[in-house]
């Protein structure tokens, strides 16, 4: 699972969380952000290589799994997409570690695209958020789970797979997810390298012994391995928490989205195919997006989005007084966030004022 480093700014080994998780969590977290950026900005030209790319995609029928017991499908032109990263180690993912008893979701984002497809909001849901998990049926095994109160958010995927993750988010938000995108984290480094790296500017030095990343203040073009180190960094930024790391990841995905625009993906068939081939191998989607034709139609409607018009926030939370490794949703503030998305409006600044997320300077370290 470890990777050897060569020279400064490279990465080796794993970084530690409060509970010392393996490196796969860091890889998968940024992979979710990466695919979100690719889905939003990089998919509009997939159709020309239909047969090659179509074979890469995998789909899950969320609609059949959940049936009619869901929030209303608001057909006003807006889109809500759950982008989720799982820690499955099947197939090529085995290089990141051995199975520990079932995959969980480690990174979850609700991407809301407004009805004009000119702006978007991304709401990150911390994996350690304690929520009331609804009853679910695992579509892969048929196993029934009765639900649980005060369960970690990421257990929804573990007990019921993609359908349970979607159901949990819909229960929390009251918003029907139009689409689902799950990330295979093994593709992340290839995505970054396919882009020729991602330029960033650090406003101060980052020297993190856990993520094995050392960057001086200034401008850098990170390759895939270095990018993993950046988004794994926690101890040396902000308050050292996962909430600070979410900010760092948000800053990185903005830089990645700018790079997708800047490298000529839309005008270079070779660059477009390379990125699309890697991206389609890295994701599982809902059955409404599981072909190049469907994904192309969806992404074509999003290609006008500018990264500067994508607002990223963390679901309002506070640290659990009983366990600082967990966070509790701030119900009133969270309601403001979900109400804004339901009404196709920007998330109000007042929603995050008292949140433990979106605090500190972690997000300002990278531009």
């Amino acid at each position: 699972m470890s990777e050897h480093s060569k020279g400064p700014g490279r990465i080796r080994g794993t970084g530690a969380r409060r509970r010392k998780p393996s490196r796969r969590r860091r890889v998968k977290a940024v992979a979710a952000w990466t695919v979100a950026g690719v889905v939003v900005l990089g998919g509009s030209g997939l159709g020309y290589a239909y047969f090659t790319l179509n074979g890469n995609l995998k789909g899950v029928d969320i609609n059949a799994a959940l049936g009619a017991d869901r929030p209303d499908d608001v057909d006003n032109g807006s889109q809500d997409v759950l982008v989720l990263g799982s820690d499955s180690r099947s197939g090529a993912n085995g290089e990141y570690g051995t199975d520990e008893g079932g995959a969980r979701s480690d990174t979850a984002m609700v991407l809301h695209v407004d009805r004009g497809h000119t702006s978007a909001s991304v709401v990150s849901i911390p994996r350690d958020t304690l929520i009331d998990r609804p009853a679910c049926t695992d579509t892969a095994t048929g196993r029934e789970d009765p639900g649980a109160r005060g369960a970690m958010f990421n257990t929804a995927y573990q007990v019921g797979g993609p359908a349970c993750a979607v159901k949990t988010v819909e229960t929390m938000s009251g918003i029907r997810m139009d689409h689902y995108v799950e990330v295979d984290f093994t593709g992340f480094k290839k995505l970054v390298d396919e882009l020729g790296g991602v330029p960033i500017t650090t406003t101060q030095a980052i020297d993190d012994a856990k993520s094995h990343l050392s960057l001086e203040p200034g401008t850098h073009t990170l390759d895939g391995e270095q990018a993993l180190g950046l988004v794994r960094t926690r101890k040396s930024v902000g308050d050292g928490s996962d909430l600070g790391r979410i900010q760092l990841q948000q800053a990185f995905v903005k830089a990645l989205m700018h790079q997708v625009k800047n490298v000529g993906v839309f005008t270079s068939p070779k660059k477009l195919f390379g990125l699309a081939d890697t991206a389609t191998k890295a994701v599982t989607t809902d059955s409404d997006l599981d072909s190049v034709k469907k994904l192309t139609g969806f992404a074509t409607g999003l290609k006008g989005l500018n990264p500067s018009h994508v607002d990223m926030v963390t679901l309002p939370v506070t640290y659990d007084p009983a366990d600082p490794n967990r966070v509790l949703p701030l119900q009133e503030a969270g309601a403001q966030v979900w109400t804004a998305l339901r009404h196709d409006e920007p998330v109000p600044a007042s929603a995050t004022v008292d949140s433990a997320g979106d605090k500190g300077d972690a997000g300002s370290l990278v531009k």
Side-chain angles (χ1 to χ4, degrees), residues 319-335:
Y319 285 109
D320 181 2
D323 185 351
N325 292 315
R326 304 287 184 266
V327 293
L328 302 172
L330 294 174
Q331 298 297 341
E332 291 186 8

Side-chain angles (χ1 to χ4, degrees), residues 38 54 72 90 192 199 204 212 219 221 227 230 240 250 256 271 287 329 340 356:
V38 170
N54 202 60
D72 292 338
S90 62
V192 173
Q204 64 185 62
H212 299 272
T219 299
T221 297
L230 179 68
Q250 291 172 347
L256 182 144
K271 290 178 180 178
S287 56

Side-chain angles (χ1 to χ4, degrees), residues 82-97:
L82 175 60
V83 181
L84 182 144
S86 77
D87 62 5
S88 170
R89 273 84 61 210
S90 62
N93 294 334
E95 69 176 282
Y96 293 102

Side-chain angles (χ1 to χ4, degrees), residues 133-167:
R133 191 180 69 229
C136 292
T137 301
D138 189 328
T139 53
T141 65
R143 177 180 177 271
E144 300 284 342
D145 181 84
R149 294 182 63 84
M152 285 174 58
F153 171 80
N154 72 338
T155 62
Y157 186 94
Q158 182 186 31
V159 303
C164 192
V166 171
K167 185 175 183 179

Side-chain angles (χ1 to χ4, degrees), residues 278-291:
T278 301
T280 51
K281 288 176 180 175
V283 301
T284 297
T285 70
D286 66 279
S287 56
D288 288 336
L289 289 181
D290 66 356
S291 73

Side-chain angles (χ1 to χ4, degrees), residues 15-21 26 127-128 234 242 245:
R17 294 170 56 107
R18 288 186 176 112
R19 293 176 301 283
K20 298 183 180 179
R26 281 29 163 206
R127 64 180 298 274
D128 296 332
R234 173 168 69 91
D242 284 337
R245 182 161 48 205

